[in-house]
């Protein structure tokens, strides 16, 4: 019996073609055969077709968010749009995790019984593509996670821009999946292909117990109930909290092993898994690392330094662990009591006991705990990453850059973006510093990052380091960095880099390059781009005080801190308290 399809999907075979996105070649879209980066030459690292497909994808993402905003909530008819979006993304992030586990890392691929590259029928639903897109725009996170947990994410190849764009309607931005995609998804994940736009109190999600890995069905969101405040300042008072997975008060007891499952124990599972992996590496005489620490100064891969730090931490823990037998992941989890604060203290003690505290150790500890603190097995908060990056997508969609009609009347836009991006890479190779991109450069940069492993190879090949866009800086430092980038650009290329303002107002015709004038968007600290460092700069501890803890205690999220995301209204666990170093930024 042929399955009935959701209303937004058509019964198309993989060979069924939608209207072609690319028309006849336009001379204004032609790229030079080579570009110079440093002392070397390269063919174009990305193509015009890739940039155009990326813009179409961003249009589809914007349409998806608009549909979520417009869908009435069965929980609260007056629910704010940003609350709806957080709830939708929370479920989407869990589905992304499920896709990685059940499709990307399937046994047949690992055993060599199927191609390593992602197949057309394995392309997931649009909500999962949105999360994968955001994940790839954090290339340093991806680099570490591929090394530590998911090598298959590197092996499946780049984001399938051409295949996905081929399924997006040019006028409406509707994503039309094939029947083969639908069947593969539902068979592999046992979930519906179409994610409901608005959840109700009956919506459930599957969460695995951190200790025994037994899957457990838990509510996504519950009604709020009064509970005693845990804050010392509010002692004796109560606060409204929810116990659904998407809320701060999430808690559920595992019926198999009895462990209390909450956001903290889920994050502690990341610590236990990483310690077990590193311990196995050491037992086999291999160099190892703790997640987040493979890159040293200036973005260069430094396995020796990472191995030295891992040896410091694990050396002090190895004696009590060696006396026990069984699953190392569970042993380490029990050792840290499935508690992030306990894990933090043990890490700090291990380093202090062997060497004494240094700023170098503080930075490495901070990086590790930044990668551990998620409730999912990724080194970045997927929901937070999508939210932060959506500003850029929405801006481009707002000024019609995602429109095929706009690109037809502005044919040089994509070629100029690619040319300027290669100039940006060339300048980065000369200065050795992290520069600030314009919007056209940012578009090409993000398109390049979607190539996954190829992006890693390209930047390491031509720059010998990763380049990052750090949004965690104060406005004064940001302004100075923009001025330095503009001066360096002018000095090297003898053309204006453009006036880049820290503003939310759209700018027109501010970048002049290769004789063409293109509309530009401002770059603001809220537009994170490919950044992986999200913690703000903290105040350095006075030199007269004793050296403080390396990492400040991991605090529960205060709902009022994130009221602009709707957290205050529904007690949503939609973001984290940033991890900050007492001695300076990590």
């Amino acid at each position: 019996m042929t399955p009935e399809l959701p209303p937004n999907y058509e019964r198309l075979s993989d060979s069924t073609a939608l209207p072609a996105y690319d028309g006849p070649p336009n001379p204004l879209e032609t790229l030079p055969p080579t570009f110079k980066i440093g002392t070397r030459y390269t063919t174009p690292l990305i193509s015009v077709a890739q940039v155009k497909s990326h813009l179409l994808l961003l249009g589809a993402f914007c349409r998806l968010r608009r549909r979520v905003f417009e869908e009435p909530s069965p929980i609260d008819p007056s629910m704010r749009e940003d609350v709806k979006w957080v709830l939708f993304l929370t479920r989407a992030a869990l589905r992304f995790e499920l896709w990685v586990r059940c499709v990307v890392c399937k046994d047949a691929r690992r055993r060599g019984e199927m191609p390593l590259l992602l197949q057309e029928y394995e392309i997931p639903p649009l909500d999962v593509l949105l999360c994968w897109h955001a994940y790839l725009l954090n290339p340093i996170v991806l680099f570490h996670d591929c090394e530590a947990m998911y090598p298959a994410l590197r092996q499946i190849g780049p984001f399938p821009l051409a295949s996905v764009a081929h399924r997006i309607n040019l006028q409406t931005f509707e994503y039309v999946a094939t029947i083969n995609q639908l069947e593969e998804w539902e068979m592999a994940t046992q979930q519906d292909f179409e994610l409901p736009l608005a959840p109700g109190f009956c919506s459930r999600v599957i969460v695995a117990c951190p200790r025994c890995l037994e899957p457990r069905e838990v509510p996504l969101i519950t009604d709020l109930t009064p509970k005693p405040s845990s804050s010392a300042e509010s002692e004796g008072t109560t606060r409204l909290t929810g116990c659904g997975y998407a809320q701060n008060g999430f808690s559920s007891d595992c019926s198999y092993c009895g462990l209390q499952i909450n956001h903290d124990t889920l994050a502690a599972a990341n610590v236990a898994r990483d310690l077990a992996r590193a311990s196995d590496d050491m037992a086999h005489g291999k160099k190892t690392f703790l997640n987040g620490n493979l890159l040293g100064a200036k973005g260069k891969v430094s396995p020796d330094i990472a191995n030295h730090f891992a040896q410091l931490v694990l050396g002090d823990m190895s004696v009590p662990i060696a006396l026990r037998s069984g699953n190392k992941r569970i042993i380490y989890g029990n050792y840290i009591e499935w508690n992030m604060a306990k894990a933090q203290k043990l890490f700090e003690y291990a380093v202090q006991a062997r060497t004494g505290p240094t700023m170098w150790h503080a930075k490495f500890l901070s990086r590790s705990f930044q990668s551990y603190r998620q409730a999912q097995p990724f080194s970045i908060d997927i929901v937070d990453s999508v939210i932060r990056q959506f500003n850029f997508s929405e801006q481009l969609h707002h000024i019609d850059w995602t429109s095929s009609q706009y690109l037809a009347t502005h044919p040089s836009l994509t070629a100029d973006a690619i040319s300027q991006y290669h100039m940006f890479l060339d300048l980065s190779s000369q200065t050795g510093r992290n520069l600030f991109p314009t919007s056209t450069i940012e578009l090409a940069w993000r398109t390049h990052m979607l190539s996954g492993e190829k992006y890693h190879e390209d930047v390491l090949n031509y720059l010998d380091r990763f380049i990052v866009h750090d949004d965690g800086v104060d406005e004064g430092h940001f302004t100075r960095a923009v001025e330095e980038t503009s001066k360096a650009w002018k000095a090297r290329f003898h053309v204006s880099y453009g006036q880049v303002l820290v503003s939310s107002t759209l700018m027109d015709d501010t970048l002049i390059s290769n004789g063409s004038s293109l509309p530009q968007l401002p770059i603001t600290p809220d537009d994170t781009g490919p950044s992986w460092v999200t913690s703000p700069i903290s105040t350095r501890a006075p030199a007269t005080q004793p050296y403080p803890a390396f990492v400040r205690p991991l605090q529960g999220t205060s709902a009022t801190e994130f009221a602009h995301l709707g957290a205050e209204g529904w007690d949503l666990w939609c973001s984290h308290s940033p991890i900050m170093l007492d001695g300076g930024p990590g």
Side-chain angles (χ1 to χ4, degrees), residues 109 114-120 122 154-158:
R109 182 172 274 114
M114 65 174 294
L116 290 177
L117 293 178
L118 191 74
Q119 303 301 293
E120 291 266 347
E122 295 179 307
R154 170 187 294 136
Q155 297 163 351
I156 62 172

Side-chain angles (χ1 to χ4, degrees), residues 141-164:
V141 168
L142 176 68
F143 176 77
H144 281 93
D145 284 358
C146 287
E147 292 291 327
M149 295 177 292
Y150 298 122
L153 279 172
R154 170 187 294 136
Q155 297 163 351
I156 62 172
F159 189 98
L161 277 173
S163 297
V164 174

Side-chain angles (χ1 to χ4, degrees), residues 40-51:
R40 305 167 63 184
Y41 288 85
T42 177
T43 55
L45 299 178
I46 54 175
S47 68
V48 167
Q50 287 176 307
V51 176

Side-chain angles (χ1 to χ4, degrees), residues 438-473:
T438 63
S439 294
T440 44
I441 293 173
E442 183 80 358
L443 170 62
W445 189 359
R446 292 182 180 218
T447 304
H448 191 196
M449 285 188 284
L450 294 183
S451 60
E453 176 68 5
K454 180 181 181 300
Y455 174 79
H456 295 169
E457 293 174 352
D458 286 341
V459 294
L460 292 178
N461 185 29
Y462 291 102
L463 305 182
D464 194 33
R465 64 186 176 91
F466 279 96
I467 49 176
V468 297
H469 180 190
D470 185 2
D471 64 323
V473 296

